[in-house]
Amino acid sequence: MQYISKYQSPLGKITIAACENYLTGLWFDGQKYFASTLPIEFKEKKLPIFEQTKEWLECYFSGRIPDFLPALRLEGTPFRLAVWEILRGIPYGEVITYKDIAKEIEGKIGRKMSAQAVGGAVGHNPVSIIVPCHRVVSCNGSLTGYAGGVARKLSLLTLEGADITKFFIPAQGTAL
C-alpha cells in the first residue's frame, strides 16, 4: 500500500509518497508528471518516513545542507535508475548538464546516449529536490527541463547558492 502526506514549502504545496519505510515520491502539487508513480489507491497516513522527509525539507528550505537522507525506494527502468543515481551524486549548489550525464552513461554501457533521452529520465524523477534533478541544465546553460517549473528550479538553485549569473531562461522549445 502506498501512503501520502502533504508539506507546505516556501515554493508551494508538496505531496510526499511512501510505502511504509521508504520514500517513493515527492512532487510539487500540479507539476508535470505529478504523482506518476502512485497507484490508483493510496491513503493519507502518518509515518515516520514522512516525518524524516519533512525534517529534511525543513533543513533544506532553511538554507542548510541536510546531513541525512530519507530511505528511498526508486522504481523505474534500468536506464532511469542509472540517471537518478547520477543525480544523487550532484553536490549541493552545483550543476551538471544533460550532456554530462549522457557521457557518463555512455561510459558505463559502452554505447551512444542522447542528452534528450537523459532529459526524459531526469524529468520523470519521482523524488524531486531530494534526488536533485533541479541541478541539471542544458549544455548552453539554460534552465530548461524542470517538471516543477523553471521559476522553482531557479529558486532552488538560488537557495543552494549556485552561481545563477551564468544561466538564462530560454524560449520554449530550446534543445537540451
Side-chain angles (χ1 to χ4, degrees), residues 56 60 65-66 87-98 101 122 129-138 143 146 153 156-157 160 162 167:
W56 189 98
Y60 177 84
I65 302 172
L87 297 180
R88 292 173 66 184
I90 307 169
Y92 183 94
E94 294 184 25
V95 297
I96 66 172
T97 68
Y98 297 96
I101 296 172
V122 171
I129 306 170
I130 293 174
V131 176
C133 50
H134 61 280
R135 297 180 189 152
V136 184
V137 298
S138 74
L143 298 180
Y146 187 59
K153 183 174 193 164
L156 294 170
L157 291 172
E160 293 182 12
F167 304 127

Side-chain angles (χ1 to χ4, degrees), residues 4 38 46 49 51 73 77 85 89-90 106 125 131 151 161:
I4 66 162
L38 274 178
K46 278 188 129 180
I49 189 67
E51 297 311 310
R73 177 172 290 154
T77 66
E85 187 62 33
I90 307 169
E106 284 175 15
N125 167 25
V131 176

Side-chain angles (χ1 to χ4, degrees), residues 90-163:
I90 307 169
Y92 183 94
E94 294 184 25
V95 297
I96 66 172
T97 68
Y98 297 96
K99 188 175 180 178
D100 292 334
I101 296 172
K103 286 183 179 182
E104 189 169 335
I105 297 284
E106 284 175 15
K108 291 179 180 179
I109 65 172
R111 64 179 173 88
K112 190 83 171 141
M113 184 56 53
S114 75
Q116 287 79 13
V118 167
V122 171
H124 283 86
N125 167 25
V127 184
S128 293
I129 306 170
I130 293 174
V131 176
C133 50
H134 61 280
R135 297 180 189 152
V136 184
V137 298
S138 74
C139 61
N140 67 8
S142 61
L143 298 180
T144 60
Y146 187 59
V150 173
R152 282 190 181 122
K153 183 174 193 164
L154 184 60
S155 294
L156 294 170
L157 291 172
T158 300
L159 174 72
E160 293 182 12
D163 180 8

Side-chain angles (χ1 to χ4, degrees), residues 44-83:
E44 275 197 62
K45 184 177 179 181
K46 278 188 129 180
L47 295 172
I49 189 67
F50 289 143
E51 297 311 310
Q52 292 170 355
T53 302
K54 290 174 184 179
E55 183 181 332
W56 189 98
L57 290 166
E58 287 293 323
C59 181
Y60 177 84
F61 282 115
S62 72
R64 299 185 327 266
I65 302 172
D67 62 356
F68 68 97
L69 189 66
L72 300 175
R73 177 172 290 154
L74 300 175
E75 294 183 5
T77 66
F79 173 70
R80 284 184 179 177
L81 291 170
V83 170

